[in-house]
Amino acid sequence: MPPDAPPTCDPQTDLTADAQPDRFQRAREAQAVALLEDYVEMIGDLIAEHGEARVADIAQRMGVAHPTATKAVSRLKREGLAVSRPYRGVFLTEDGAALADRVRQRHRVVVDLLVAVGVPRETAELDAEGIEHHVSDATLHAFEGFLDAKG
Amino acid sequence: MPPDAPPTCDPQTDLTADAQPDRFQRAREAQAVALLEDYVEMIGDLIAEHGEARVADIAQRMGVAHPTATKAVSRLKREGLAVSRPYRGVFLTEDGAALADRVRQRHRVVVDLLVAVGVPRETAELDAEGIEHHVSDATLHAFEGFLDAKG
DNA sequence: TTCGAAATGTAGCCAGGGCTTTATTCCGTG
DNA sequence: CACGGAATAAAGCCCTGGCTACATTTCGAA
Ligand SMILES: [Mn+2]
Ligand SMILES: [Mn+2]
Ligand SMILES: [Mn+2]
Ligand SMILES: [Mn+2]
Protein backbone atom coordinates (compact mmCIF):
# COMPACT_ATOMS: atom_id res chain seq x y z
CA MET A 1 0.00 0.00 0.00
CA PRO A 2 1.43 3.42 -0.87
CA PRO A 3 2.37 5.52 2.16
CA ASP A 4 -0.23 8.20 1.34
CA ALA A 5 -3.14 5.77 1.11
CA PRO A 6 -6.27 6.79 2.99
CA PRO A 7 -7.18 4.94 6.19
CA THR A 8 -8.60 1.46 5.66
CA CYS A 9 -11.51 1.96 8.00
CA ASP A 10 -13.40 5.06 9.04
CA PRO A 11 -16.24 4.33 11.48
CA GLN A 12 -18.06 7.50 10.42
CA THR A 13 -18.39 6.55 6.76
CA ASP A 14 -18.72 2.85 7.51
CA LEU A 15 -22.06 3.49 9.16
CA THR A 16 -23.60 4.74 5.95
CA ALA A 17 -21.69 2.15 3.95
CA ASP A 18 -23.39 -0.66 5.84
CA ALA A 19 -26.77 0.69 4.90
CA GLN A 20 -25.99 0.96 1.22
CA PRO A 21 -26.77 -2.60 0.08
CA ASP A 22 -30.33 -2.28 1.37
CA ARG A 23 -30.75 1.13 -0.27
CA PHE A 24 -29.60 -0.23 -3.61
CA GLN A 25 -31.72 -3.35 -3.35
CA ARG A 26 -34.72 -1.18 -2.55
CA ALA A 27 -34.05 0.99 -5.59
CA ARG A 28 -33.71 -2.11 -7.78
CA GLU A 29 -37.00 -3.44 -6.48
CA ALA A 30 -38.75 -0.13 -7.17
CA GLN A 31 -37.37 -0.09 -10.67
CA ALA A 32 -38.66 -3.63 -11.26
CA VAL A 33 -42.25 -2.61 -10.57
CA ALA A 34 -41.98 0.76 -12.33
CA LEU A 35 -42.90 -0.61 -15.73
CA LEU A 36 -45.92 -2.47 -14.41
CA GLU A 37 -47.10 0.68 -12.67
CA ASP A 38 -46.82 2.73 -15.84
CA TYR A 39 -48.64 0.11 -17.90
CA VAL A 40 -51.44 -0.23 -15.36
CA GLU A 41 -51.93 3.53 -15.05
CA MET A 42 -51.92 3.98 -18.81
CA ILE A 43 -54.27 1.08 -19.46
CA GLY A 44 -56.60 2.69 -16.95
CA ASP A 45 -56.41 5.90 -18.96
CA LEU A 46 -57.25 4.09 -22.19
CA ILE A 47 -60.21 2.32 -20.61
CA ALA A 48 -61.49 5.62 -19.25
CA GLU A 49 -61.15 7.21 -22.69
CA HIS A 50 -62.17 4.40 -25.03
CA GLY A 51 -63.97 1.89 -22.83
CA GLU A 52 -61.23 -0.67 -23.48
CA ALA A 53 -57.46 -0.91 -23.94
CA ARG A 54 -56.32 -2.44 -27.22
CA VAL A 55 -52.80 -3.79 -27.53
CA ALA A 56 -52.06 -1.47 -30.44
CA ASP A 57 -53.03 1.58 -28.38
CA ILE A 58 -51.02 0.39 -25.39
CA ALA A 59 -47.96 -0.10 -27.57
CA GLN A 60 -48.36 3.30 -29.17
CA ARG A 61 -48.69 5.14 -25.86
CA MET A 62 -45.73 3.33 -24.35
CA GLY A 63 -43.65 3.94 -27.44
CA VAL A 64 -42.88 0.24 -27.99
CA ALA A 65 -43.61 -2.40 -30.63
CA HIS A 66 -46.81 -4.37 -30.11
CA PRO A 67 -45.13 -7.65 -29.22
CA THR A 68 -43.46 -5.78 -26.38
CA ALA A 69 -46.84 -4.57 -25.18
CA THR A 70 -48.26 -8.08 -25.47
CA LYS A 71 -45.48 -9.43 -23.28
CA ALA A 72 -46.09 -6.72 -20.71
CA VAL A 73 -49.78 -7.56 -20.66
CA SER A 74 -48.87 -11.19 -20.02
CA ARG A 75 -46.88 -10.11 -16.99
CA LEU A 76 -49.78 -7.97 -15.78
CA LYS A 77 -52.10 -10.96 -16.11
CA ARG A 78 -49.65 -13.18 -14.28
CA GLU A 79 -49.51 -10.61 -11.46
CA GLY A 80 -53.30 -10.54 -11.29
CA LEU A 81 -53.52 -6.92 -12.40
CA ALA A 82 -55.20 -7.39 -15.79
CA VAL A 83 -57.37 -9.81 -17.73
CA SER A 84 -57.86 -10.38 -21.45
CA ARG A 85 -59.02 -13.00 -23.92
CA PRO A 86 -57.33 -13.66 -27.26
CA TYR A 87 -57.99 -11.00 -29.85
CA ARG A 88 -59.98 -8.93 -27.33
CA GLY A 89 -59.12 -5.80 -25.40
CA VAL A 90 -57.26 -5.69 -22.11
CA PHE A 91 -59.04 -4.84 -18.86
CA LEU A 92 -57.89 -4.24 -15.31
CA THR A 93 -58.80 -6.42 -12.34
CA GLU A 94 -60.01 -4.82 -9.15
CA ASP A 95 -56.42 -4.89 -7.90
CA GLY A 96 -55.18 -3.44 -11.17
CA ALA A 97 -57.69 -0.60 -11.12
CA ALA A 98 -56.85 0.20 -7.49
CA LEU A 99 -53.15 0.26 -8.33
CA ALA A 100 -53.81 2.48 -11.33
CA ASP A 101 -55.64 4.96 -9.16
CA ARG A 102 -52.89 5.05 -6.55
CA VAL A 103 -50.23 5.48 -9.23
CA ARG A 104 -52.15 8.23 -11.01
CA GLN A 105 -52.64 10.16 -7.80
CA ARG A 106 -49.01 9.78 -6.79
CA HIS A 107 -47.94 10.98 -10.23
CA ARG A 108 -50.07 14.09 -9.80
CA VAL A 109 -48.67 14.85 -6.35
CA VAL A 110 -45.10 14.44 -7.55
CA VAL A 111 -45.67 16.83 -10.44
CA ASP A 112 -47.35 19.34 -8.16
CA LEU A 113 -44.50 19.21 -5.69
CA LEU A 114 -41.89 19.70 -8.38
CA VAL A 115 -43.80 22.70 -9.67
CA ALA A 116 -44.18 24.03 -6.14
CA VAL A 117 -40.41 24.09 -5.61
CA GLY A 118 -39.85 25.88 -8.90
CA VAL A 119 -39.54 23.25 -11.62
CA PRO A 120 -41.14 24.27 -14.93
CA ARG A 121 -44.36 22.32 -15.50
CA GLU A 122 -43.07 20.69 -18.71
CA THR A 123 -39.87 19.50 -17.03
CA ALA A 124 -41.80 18.39 -13.98
CA GLU A 125 -44.03 16.22 -16.14
CA LEU A 126 -41.00 14.62 -17.80
CA ASP A 127 -39.00 13.94 -14.64
CA ALA A 128 -42.03 12.81 -12.64
CA GLU A 129 -42.50 9.86 -14.98
CA GLY A 130 -39.35 8.32 -13.54
CA ILE A 131 -39.27 9.87 -10.08
CA GLU A 132 -42.75 8.75 -9.05
CA HIS A 133 -41.78 5.08 -8.80
CA HIS A 134 -39.23 5.80 -6.10
CA VAL A 135 -41.46 7.96 -3.91
CA SER A 136 -42.38 5.98 -0.80
CA ASP A 137 -45.62 6.43 1.10
CA ALA A 138 -43.80 8.42 3.77
CA THR A 139 -42.34 10.77 1.18
CA LEU A 140 -45.68 11.06 -0.58
CA HIS A 141 -47.32 12.12 2.66
CA ALA A 142 -44.60 14.66 3.25
CA PHE A 143 -45.20 16.03 -0.25
CA GLU A 144 -48.92 16.33 0.41
CA GLY A 145 -48.26 18.07 3.68
CA PHE A 146 -45.93 20.54 2.02
CA LEU A 147 -48.44 21.29 -0.73
CA ASP A 148 -51.23 21.77 1.80
CA ALA A 149 -49.13 24.14 3.88
CA LYS A 150 -48.22 26.08 0.78
CA GLY A 151 -51.68 26.15 -0.79
CA MET B 1 -69.46 -0.53 -28.98
CA PRO B 2 -71.89 -0.26 -26.05
CA PRO B 3 -74.14 2.80 -26.09
CA ASP B 4 -72.65 4.15 -22.85
CA ALA B 5 -69.06 3.95 -24.03
CA PRO B 6 -66.93 7.04 -23.50
CA PRO B 7 -66.11 9.20 -26.50
CA THR B 8 -63.44 7.75 -28.75
CA CYS B 9 -61.49 10.94 -29.01
CA ASP B 10 -61.06 13.83 -26.62
CA PRO B 11 -58.72 16.53 -27.95
CA GLN B 12 -57.94 17.68 -24.40
CA THR B 13 -56.57 14.35 -23.21
CA ASP B 14 -55.15 13.48 -26.60
CA LEU B 15 -52.64 16.28 -26.24
CA THR B 16 -51.01 14.72 -23.21
CA ALA B 17 -51.45 11.25 -24.69
CA ASP B 18 -49.33 12.18 -27.68
CA ALA B 19 -46.49 13.23 -25.42
CA GLN B 20 -46.49 10.04 -23.40
CA PRO B 21 -44.31 7.82 -25.61
CA ASP B 22 -41.44 10.29 -25.34
CA ARG B 23 -41.88 10.59 -21.58
CA PHE B 24 -41.75 6.84 -21.17
CA GLN B 25 -38.76 6.45 -23.47
CA ARG B 26 -36.96 9.13 -21.50
CA ALA B 27 -37.69 7.33 -18.24
CA ARG B 28 -36.43 4.05 -19.73
CA GLU B 29 -33.25 5.74 -20.85
CA ALA B 30 -32.66 7.23 -17.39
CA GLN B 31 -33.14 3.85 -15.81
CA ALA B 32 -30.58 2.32 -18.16
CA VAL B 33 -27.82 4.61 -16.87
CA ALA B 34 -28.94 4.52 -13.25
CA LEU B 35 -26.94 1.42 -12.38
CA LEU B 36 -23.78 2.75 -13.96
CA GLU B 37 -24.18 5.98 -12.02
CA ASP B 38 -24.56 4.15 -8.73
CA TYR B 39 -21.56 1.94 -9.40
CA VAL B 40 -19.36 4.85 -10.39
CA GLU B 41 -20.33 6.93 -7.37
CA MET B 42 -19.81 3.99 -5.03
CA ILE B 43 -16.48 3.00 -6.56
CA GLY B 44 -15.41 6.59 -6.05
CA ASP B 45 -16.36 6.28 -2.39
CA LEU B 46 -14.35 3.08 -2.01
CA ILE B 47 -11.30 4.65 -3.64
CA ALA B 48 -11.59 7.65 -1.34
CA GLU B 49 -11.83 5.38 1.68
CA HIS B 50 -9.43 2.56 0.82
CA GLY B 51 -7.31 3.89 -2.01
CA GLU B 52 -8.74 1.28 -4.37
CA ALA B 53 -12.02 -0.50 -5.14
CA ARG B 54 -11.90 -4.28 -4.92
CA VAL B 55 -14.53 -6.35 -6.65
CA ALA B 56 -15.51 -8.00 -3.38
CA ASP B 57 -16.13 -4.63 -1.74
CA ILE B 58 -18.07 -3.35 -4.73
CA ALA B 59 -20.28 -6.44 -4.66
CA GLN B 60 -20.84 -6.14 -0.94
CA ARG B 61 -21.82 -2.47 -1.09
CA MET B 62 -24.16 -3.02 -4.01
CA GLY B 63 -25.70 -6.04 -2.35
CA VAL B 64 -24.99 -8.36 -5.29
CA ALA B 65 -22.89 -11.47 -5.91
CA HIS B 66 -19.35 -10.83 -7.03
CA PRO B 67 -19.80 -12.01 -10.64
CA THR B 68 -22.55 -9.44 -10.95
CA ALA B 69 -20.13 -6.76 -9.81
CA THR B 70 -17.52 -8.05 -12.24
CA LYS B 71 -19.98 -7.79 -15.11
CA ALA B 72 -20.89 -4.25 -14.10
CA VAL B 73 -17.22 -3.30 -13.99
CA SER B 74 -16.86 -4.69 -17.52
CA ARG B 75 -19.63 -2.37 -18.67
CA LEU B 76 -17.98 0.56 -16.91
CA LYS B 77 -14.72 -0.24 -18.68
CA ARG B 78 -16.50 -0.53 -21.99
CA GLU B 79 -18.09 2.87 -21.39
CA GLY B 80 -14.69 4.34 -20.61
CA LEU B 81 -15.57 5.09 -17.00
CA ALA B 82 -13.23 2.65 -15.24
CA VAL B 83 -10.01 0.72 -15.73
CA SER B 84 -8.65 -2.44 -14.13
CA ARG B 85 -6.21 -5.27 -14.68
CA PRO B 86 -6.91 -8.91 -13.82
CA TYR B 87 -6.81 -9.67 -10.10
CA ARG B 88 -6.21 -5.99 -9.31
CA GLY B 89 -8.48 -3.29 -7.99
CA VAL B 90 -10.81 -1.13 -10.06
CA PHE B 91 -10.08 2.55 -10.69
CA LEU B 92 -12.02 5.36 -12.31
CA THR B 93 -10.97 7.17 -15.45
CA GLU B 94 -11.08 10.94 -15.56
CA ASP B 95 -14.55 10.70 -17.07
CA GLY B 96 -15.58 8.20 -14.44
CA ALA B 97 -14.33 10.37 -11.59
CA ALA B 98 -16.08 13.42 -13.03
CA LEU B 99 -19.33 11.48 -13.35
CA ALA B 100 -18.95 10.19 -9.80
CA ASP B 101 -18.60 13.74 -8.51
CA ARG B 102 -21.65 14.97 -10.42
CA VAL B 103 -23.71 12.01 -9.23
CA ARG B 104 -22.60 12.43 -5.62
CA GLN B 105 -23.47 16.11 -5.64
CA ARG B 106 -26.85 15.49 -7.24
CA HIS B 107 -27.57 12.82 -4.66
CA ARG B 108 -26.85 15.29 -1.89
CA VAL B 109 -29.07 17.98 -3.39
CA VAL B 110 -31.93 15.55 -3.81
CA VAL B 111 -31.68 14.41 -0.20
CA ASP B 112 -31.50 18.00 0.99
CA LEU B 113 -34.55 18.98 -1.01
CA LEU B 114 -36.57 16.04 0.29
CA VAL B 115 -35.63 16.97 3.84
CA ALA B 116 -36.47 20.61 3.14
CA VAL B 117 -40.03 19.73 2.15
CA GLY B 118 -40.53 17.62 5.24
CA VAL B 119 -39.32 14.10 4.45
CA PRO B 120 -37.55 12.40 7.37
CA ARG B 121 -33.80 12.18 6.72
CA GLU B 122 -33.75 8.37 6.81
CA THR B 123 -36.58 8.09 4.29
CA ALA B 124 -35.05 10.80 2.15
CA GLU B 125 -31.82 8.85 1.96
CA LEU B 126 -33.66 5.70 0.89
CA ASP B 127 -35.87 7.31 -1.74
CA ALA B 128 -33.13 9.54 -3.12
CA GLU B 129 -31.18 6.47 -4.22
CA GLY B 130 -33.80 5.88 -6.90
CA ILE B 131 -35.13 9.39 -7.44
CA GLU B 132 -31.76 10.97 -8.20
CA HIS B 133 -31.38 9.22 -11.55
CA HIS B 134 -34.52 10.86 -12.90
CA VAL B 135 -33.69 14.41 -11.83
CA SER B 136 -32.79 16.43 -14.91
CA ASP B 137 -30.37 19.35 -14.88
CA ALA B 138 -33.28 21.77 -15.03
CA THR B 139 -34.92 20.18 -12.03
CA LEU B 140 -31.62 20.02 -10.17
CA HIS B 141 -31.14 23.74 -10.66
CA ALA B 142 -34.66 24.38 -9.45
CA PHE B 143 -33.89 22.31 -6.35
CA GLU B 144 -30.74 24.31 -5.69
CA GLY B 145 -32.64 27.54 -6.12
CA PHE B 146 -35.30 26.43 -3.69
CA LEU B 147 -32.71 25.38 -1.12
CA ASP B 148 -30.86 28.68 -1.49
CA ALA B 149 -34.02 30.70 -1.07
CA LYS B 150 -34.93 28.70 2.00
CA GLY B 151 -31.52 28.65 3.65
C1' DT C 1 9.38 -21.33 0.78
C1' DT C 2 5.33 -23.59 0.51
C1' DC C 3 0.47 -23.97 0.76
C1' DG C 4 -4.27 -23.10 1.71
C1' DA C 5 -7.82 -19.60 2.17
C1' DA C 6 -9.62 -15.74 0.03
C1' DA C 7 -10.16 -13.03 -3.95
C1' DT C 8 -10.94 -12.91 -8.68
C1' DG C 9 -12.24 -14.65 -13.13
C1' DT C 10 -15.15 -17.71 -16.27
C1' DA C 11 -19.00 -20.35 -17.81
C1' DG C 12 -23.57 -20.87 -18.13
C1' DC C 13 -28.32 -20.42 -16.41
C1' DC C 14 -32.62 -17.42 -15.85
C1' DA C 15 -36.07 -13.57 -16.26
C1' DG C 16 -37.15 -9.05 -17.96
C1' DG C 17 -37.87 -6.12 -21.66
C1' DG C 18 -36.67 -4.58 -26.05
C1' DC C 19 -36.94 -5.98 -31.29
C1' DT C 20 -38.36 -8.23 -36.20
C1' DT C 21 -40.67 -11.68 -38.80
C1' DT C 22 -44.36 -14.71 -39.68
C1' DA C 23 -48.88 -16.89 -38.76
C1' DT C 24 -53.56 -16.34 -37.31
C1' DT C 25 -57.86 -14.14 -36.34
C1' DC C 26 -61.29 -10.47 -36.78
C1' DC C 27 -64.29 -7.44 -38.97
C1' DG C 28 -65.84 -3.70 -42.13
C1' DT C 29 -66.79 -3.27 -46.99
C1' DG C 30 -67.96 -4.41 -51.32
C1' DC D 1 -71.20 -13.51 -47.48
C1' DA D 2 -66.72 -13.37 -48.97
C1' DC D 3 -62.56 -11.24 -48.79
C1' DG D 4 -58.66 -8.33 -47.79
C1' DG D 5 -56.49 -5.28 -44.61
C1' DA D 6 -55.73 -4.49 -39.77
C1' DA D 7 -55.12 -6.29 -35.32
C1' DT D 8 -53.38 -9.81 -32.62
C1' DA D 9 -50.58 -13.78 -31.46
C1' DA D 10 -46.44 -16.63 -31.75
C1' DA D 11 -41.69 -17.57 -32.52
C1' DG D 12 -37.26 -16.41 -31.93
C1' DC D 13 -33.41 -13.04 -31.57
C1' DC D 14 -30.53 -9.61 -28.55
C1' DC D 15 -28.78 -7.30 -24.33
C1' DT D 16 -28.92 -6.38 -19.35
C1' DG D 17 -28.35 -7.75 -14.87
C1' DG D 18 -29.24 -11.06 -11.54
C1' DC D 19 -27.58 -15.90 -9.91
C1' DT D 20 -24.60 -20.53 -8.90
C1' DA D 21 -20.81 -23.48 -9.72
C1' DC D 22 -16.28 -24.05 -10.80
C1' DA D 23 -11.37 -22.63 -12.20
C1' DT D 24 -7.56 -19.77 -11.41
C1' DT D 25 -4.62 -16.51 -9.10
C1' DT D 26 -2.79 -14.08 -5.10
C1' DC D 27 -0.86 -13.52 -0.76
C1' DG D 28 -0.11 -13.99 4.13
C1' DA D 29 1.03 -17.31 7.63
C1' DA D 30 3.23 -21.36 8.98
MN1 LIG E 1 -43.79 6.48 -14.58
MN1 LIG F 1 -46.85 8.21 -14.39
MN1 LIG G 1 -28.91 5.78 -6.96
MN1 LIG H 1 -26.77 7.79 -4.99
Side-chain angles (χ1 to χ4, degrees):
Chain A
M1 188 191 289
D4 60 341
T8 303
C9 148
D10 174 352
Q12 173 70 16
T13 58
D14 273 1
L15 274 182
T16 78
D18 286 351
Q20 275 195 322
D22 309 275
R23 290 220 318 262
F24 288 132
Q25 278 171 350
R26 201 161 158 286
R28 283 200 295 270
E29 174 59 23
Q31 174 248 59
V33 300
L35 254 212
L36 293 193
E37 289 182 347
D38 280 337
Y39 269 101
V40 160
E41 176 185 5
M42 197 263 297
I43 288 171
D45 291 344
L46 284 172
I47 292 174
E49 292 170 30
H50 302 149
E52 68 174 350
R54 325 234 332 153
V55 169
D57 297 336
I58 295 172
Q60 193 224 319
R61 290 248 175 136
M62 288 299 295
V64 299
H66 18 88
T68 300
T70 300
K71 268 199 195 179
V73 169
S74 299
R75 287 192 293 275
L76 292 181
K77 290 166 76 171
R78 176 153 43 84
E79 303 284 333
L81 298 170
V83 290
S84 75
R85 291 186 347 236
Y87 293 96
R88 295 293 128 141
V90 178
F91 300 91
L92 296 179
T93 63
E94 207 165 317
D95 282 3
L99 177 59
D101 288 344
R102 277 203 308 279
V103 169
R104 188 174 299 109
Q105 175 144 349
R106 188 187 57 188
H107 184 111
R108 208 173 38 70
V109 171
V110 169
V111 169
D112 287 349
L113 180 111
L114 291 177
V115 170
V117 300
V119 178
R121 178 127 235 142
E122 188 106 353
T123 303
E125 202 60 59
L126 284 174
D127 289 7
E129 199 56 74
I131 290 176
E132 57 180 353
H133 308 284
H134 301 273
V135 170
S136 64
D137 283 352
T139 295
L140 190 62
H141 290 144
F143 284 6
E144 288 167 340
F146 180 83
L147 290 170
D148 277 356
K150 233 208 165 186
Chain B
M1 190 191 287
D4 61 341
T8 303
C9 145
D10 175 350
Q12 173 69 18
T13 58
D14 273 1
L15 275 182
T16 77
D18 284 351
Q20 274 195 322
D22 309 274
R23 289 221 318 262
F24 288 131
Q25 279 170 352
R26 201 162 159 283
R28 283 198 295 269
E29 173 61 23
Q31 174 249 58
V33 299
L35 254 213
L36 292 193
E37 290 181 347
D38 280 336
Y39 270 100
V40 161
E41 178 187 3
M42 197 264 296
I43 288 171
D45 291 344
L46 284 172
I47 292 174
E49 293 171 29
H50 302 148
E52 70 174 348
R54 327 240 321 158
V55 169
D57 296 336
I58 296 172
Q60 194 224 319
R61 288 248 175 137
M62 287 299 295
V64 299
H66 77 265
T68 300
T70 300
K71 270 196 194 180
V73 169
S74 298
R75 287 193 293 275
L76 292 180
K77 289 167 77 170
R78 198 183 49 207
E79 302 285 331
L81 298 170
V83 291
S84 75
R85 292 186 348 239
Y87 294 96
R88 292 292 123 116
V90 178
F91 300 91
L92 295 179
T93 64
E94 208 166 317
D95 282 4
L99 177 59
D101 288 344
R102 277 203 310 279
V103 168
R104 188 173 299 108
Q105 175 146 348
R106 188 187 58 187
H107 184 112
R108 211 173 36 71
V109 171
V110 170
V111 170
D112 287 349
L113 180 110
L114 290 177
V115 169
V117 300
V119 178
R121 180 128 235 141
E122 188 107 353
T123 304
E125 203 60 60
L126 284 173
D127 289 7
E129 200 55 74
I131 290 175
E132 57 181 351
H133 308 284
H134 302 273
V135 170
S136 64
D137 283 352
T139 294
L140 190 64
H141 289 146
F143 284 6
E144 287 166 343
F146 179 83
L147 289 170
D148 278 356
K150 228 202 169 194

